[in-house]
Amino acid sequence: MKIGIVCYPTYGGSGVLATELGLGLAKRGHQVHFITYKRPVRLSHFHENIYFHEVADTDYPLFEYTPYDTALTSKLVDVVSYEKIELLHVHYAIPHAAVGYMAKKILLSQGGRYVPVITTLHGTDITLVGKNPTFAPVVEFSINKSDGVTAVSHNLKQHTHHTFNIKHDIEVIHNFVDLNRFHRPNKDHFKKAIAPDGERIVTHVSNFRKVKRVDNVVKVFKRINEIIPSKLLLIGDGPERDKTEQLCRQLELCNEIRFLGKQEAVEELLAVSDLFLMPSENESFGLAALEAMACEVPVISSNVGGLPEVNIHGETGYLSDFNNVQEMADYAIQILANDETLARFRKNALAQAQRFSLDHILPHYEAYYEHVLQTAVYSA
Ligand code: GMT
């Protein structure tokens, strides 16, 4: 199948998931074309069956910024007709669902084939930004004009139906993890470099947006560290980074916390971690937590959104109300207090990650593509 994938190329979960999906599809013999404004972060090497089409930035004095939606639509029209793309899969509704709709209308007006558009909803495109009146009418319209719609958790599906008047049956296809990449090879030498006195290693990965509550990561860590000597690795970067650094200084924790910024080989850091913290205020699935579990790292998370579909309370980690710092710290201490408990949680985390493996989830996407290709009908 020839598939066009539209996504954000940055470190956000939707772009990561879209890229991993494209890589997986390409390995299974599909021809995959990424169309976006920059090479996606996880698309760093040459891959057979993968093509990348960059949306150009046009410098014109009237524009403060290039109108990206228009540039992306034009690029889609060009790539789809030249490469004979059979299906467009757009990730994150804003603006990609609307752009996909516009591209298919233009292609039809040019006498081209009908190219179905599948929109995957990832989370904040519905729960945060999407329902903002600035975007809401376009989001609702363009989801309804998609030929297929998927959501990354049951919770997100419910939230979408609750927020918008959606006429589609939304297909739930959970996030997945590539277990060949995310696993736990022995990296004791590396662990020693981070925690020379055998401290526990606690990790958080995110794009440091407000919704991730990185302040609570630090507060939970402070309580853990008072009882169990530990180090905290903060991976990623974003708007809350400076504030978080200030908080570490105020709490006099700078010697125990390492800000590692954006990392490409995040799996190597997860492979030496003992615990993962995800205290988000909103999280439709929690891909970063799943990647941690695949590296045998138990998770302490909030109980919001789709997180209970991934993190099983008392088995793979624990869930707490999103702002309950004390409870999260108590749970963390329970897991880290002795090696036997930690080993049990680690084993469960891996078993749960295996249920969300790429090999298991990717065929759902393929089957859904086939279904949409067979059932899509043009509606004006
Ligand atoms: O919040 C992020 O880190 C990025 C965001 C995105 O859309 O780029 O991630 C969302 O999509 C991920 C992949 O489907 C999900 O695993 C995340 O839970 C979701 N983030 C939120 O809902 C806050």
Side-chain angles (χ1 to χ4, degrees):
M1 203 182 292
K2 287 190 175 186
I3 304 154
I5 292 187
V6 178
C7 65
Y8 284 104
T10 52
Y11 280 85
S14 63
V16 167
L17 198 277
T19 310
E20 295 286 353
L21 175 62
L23 290 168
L25 289 165
K27 270 199 197 133
R28 290 165 76 98
H30 300 284
Q31 196 182 94
V32 178
H33 293 260
F34 284 95
I35 306 123
T36 182
Y37 61 86
K38 204 168 67 188
R39 181 170 281 272
V41 280
R42 288 212 183 162
L43 200 66
S44 44
H45 305 102
F46 170 82
H47 299 274
E48 219 187 325
N49 293 335
I50 296 264
Y51 298 80
F52 169 59
H53 308 268
E54 187 170 300
V55 181
D57 204 2
T58 309
D59 195 14
Y60 181 67
L62 188 65
F63 306 146
E64 201 168 339
Y65 307 102
T66 300
Y68 181 61
D69 304 17
T70 309
L72 176 59
T73 306
S74 299
K75 192 73 184 175
L76 284 182
V77 169
D78 176 61
V79 173
V80 167
S81 51
Y82 183 73
E83 301 286 356
K84 302 194 171 37
I85 303 282
E86 293 160 76
L87 180 101
L88 276 175
H89 187 177
V90 305
H91 292 260
Y92 207 86
I94 309 167
H96 299 145
V99 164
Y101 173 68
M102 195 156 42
K104 80 180 170 188
K105 293 279 285 182
I106 296 172
L107 285 158
L108 276 177
S109 75
Q110 294 177 343
R113 274 179 310 114
Y114 186 65
V115 180
V117 175
I118 294 177
T119 298
T120 288
L121 309 173
H122 281 273
T124 50
D125 47 353
I126 299 297
T127 56
L128 216 66
V129 214
K131 62 179 165 203
N132 184 315
T134 314
F135 302 109
V138 177
V139 170
E140 183 175 276
F141 174 82
S142 53
I143 290 176
N144 279 325
K145 288 294 178 189
S146 298
D147 300 276
V149 183
T150 77
V152 299
S153 64
H154 293 285
N155 179 273
L156 183 60
K157 173 180 174 167
Q158 278 161 19
H159 201 114
T160 308
H161 281 300
H162 182 75
T163 312
F164 298 109
N165 180 14
I166 301 297
K167 292 167 191 132
H168 276 290
D169 187 18
I170 299 174
E171 182 83 2
V172 174
I173 307 182
H174 282 123
N175 282 179
F176 58 82
V177 61
D178 181 354
L179 295 173
N180 290 323
R181 175 172 175 183
F182 288 87
H183 59 129
R184 199 176 179 97
N186 189 330
K187 297 246 178 209
D188 277 354
H189 58 291
F190 184 32
K191 192 163 186 158
K192 258 206 149 46
I194 300 169
D197 297 319
E199 297 93 334
R200 297 291 197 197
I201 300 179
V202 180
T203 302
H204 170 78
V205 181
S206 78
N207 45 21
F208 283 55
R209 284 186 287 141
K210 250 197 161 72
V211 69
K212 300 292 177 181
R213 298 304 305 256
V214 193
D215 54 338
N216 282 349
V217 171
V218 173
K219 290 175 190 166
V220 171
F221 173 74
K222 182 181 176 351
R223 290 170 197 221
I224 298 173
N225 192 47
E226 279 162 6
I227 309 290
I228 297 175
S230 316
K231 298 283 179 192
L232 174 64
L233 303 182
L234 290 173
I235 303 167
D237 212 336
E240 294 295 297
R241 156 85 194 249
D242 285 351
K243 265 198 206 153
T244 311
E245 222 163 328
Q246 287 303 327
L247 181 63
C248 296
R249 288 179 198 174
Q250 262 170 36
L251 298 176
E252 298 183 355
L253 282 170
C254 295
N255 288 338
E256 321 308 331
I257 300 181
R258 296 279 293 269
F259 284 85
L260 299 176
K262 292 174 182 166
Q263 293 282 327
E264 274 183 29
V266 68
E267 66 276 15
E268 290 183 7
L269 294 156
L270 291 172
V272 296
S273 300
D274 297 303
L275 192 76
F276 190 84
L277 297 179
M278 183 174 262
S280 308
E281 191 162 346
N282 218 315
E283 200 68 60
S284 67
F285 181 89
L287 179 59
L290 175 62
E291 291 181 339
M293 286 180 186
C295 297
E296 299 176 39
V297 186
V299 173
I300 299 291
S301 72
S302 50
N303 54 15
V304 300
L307 278 169
E309 293 171 48
V310 192
N311 188 17
I312 310 299
H313 190 70
E315 253 183 58
T316 61
Y318 286 104
L319 298 140
S320 293
D321 289 343
F322 92 86
N323 217 2
N324 197 339
V325 168
Q326 186 58 56
E327 190 180 84
M328 287 187 199
D330 291 344
Y331 282 143
I333 291 161
Q334 259 186 55
I335 294 178
L336 295 175
N338 69 71
D339 289 344
E340 292 70 42
T341 313
L342 179 57
R344 180 161 49 83
F345 275 87
R346 277 178 45 178
K347 198 167 147 244
N348 294 343
L350 175 60
Q352 173 72 339
Q354 283 163 344
R355 290 181 200 114
F356 294 93
S357 73
L358 175 120
D359 292 345
H360 189 64
I361 304 283
L362 197 124
H364 290 215
Y365 275 111
E366 283 177 307
Y368 191 63
Y369 289 173
E370 292 291 351
H371 166 75
V372 169
L373 278 170
Q374 278 162 25
T375 55
V377 275
Y378 171 67
S379 75

